[in-house]
Amino acid sequence: MLHVVTAANRDTYASHVEESFRVRHRIYVGERGWKDLDRPDKREVDQFDNDDAIYLLAIDEREQRVVGGSRLVPTVKPHLLSDVFPQ
């Protein structure tokens, strides 16, 4: 099931958001080999994981685990394409 996580309900989904950071690490560092993102805590987080971020988390209801997700950030504020990859 798809869950929408915002600053207003993030406390309710805190463990799932943390799990999504570990999934991102596994994908970007482990599978894609982006070693610059490697962290000892095995979480892929950055400056855009803030109160403005909205997370769409696919959660397996039976196992209560994150099986997919996406992060949305407003483009009227700093974001990945404007601040990190403007080219």
Side-chain angles (χ1 to χ4, degrees), residues 4-67:
V4 179
V5 182
T6 67
N9 66 356
R10 190 166 172 172
D11 287 345
T12 302
Y13 289 94
S15 65
H16 289 105
V17 172
E18 285 298 316
E19 184 180 1
S20 76
F21 295 155
R22 286 187 279 286
V23 169
R24 283 172 26 186
H25 187 278
R26 197 167 56 244
I27 291 169
Y28 294 121
V29 177
E31 294 177 14
R32 295 189 179 172
W34 296 0
K35 299 300 181 191
D36 288 347
L37 300 179
D38 199 7
R39 293 170 40 127
D41 63 5
K42 302 300 180 197
R43 297 165 66 238
E44 197 286 300
V45 295
D46 60 30
Q47 67 267 34
F48 308 112
D49 290 303
N50 56 41
D51 285 344
D52 293 320
I54 297 172
Y55 300 93
L56 303 178
L57 299 180
I59 300 173
D60 179 312
E61 297 299 316
R62 194 173 328 123
E63 296 183 26
Q64 282 299 302
R65 66 183 191 92
V66 175
V67 294

Side-chain angles (χ1 to χ4, degrees), residues 67-85:
V67 294
S70 186
R71 174 185 65 183
L72 308 174
V73 295
T75 58
V76 295
K77 293 190 174 184
H79 60 284
L80 197 62
L81 290 178
S82 68
D83 289 29
V84 180
F85 299 110

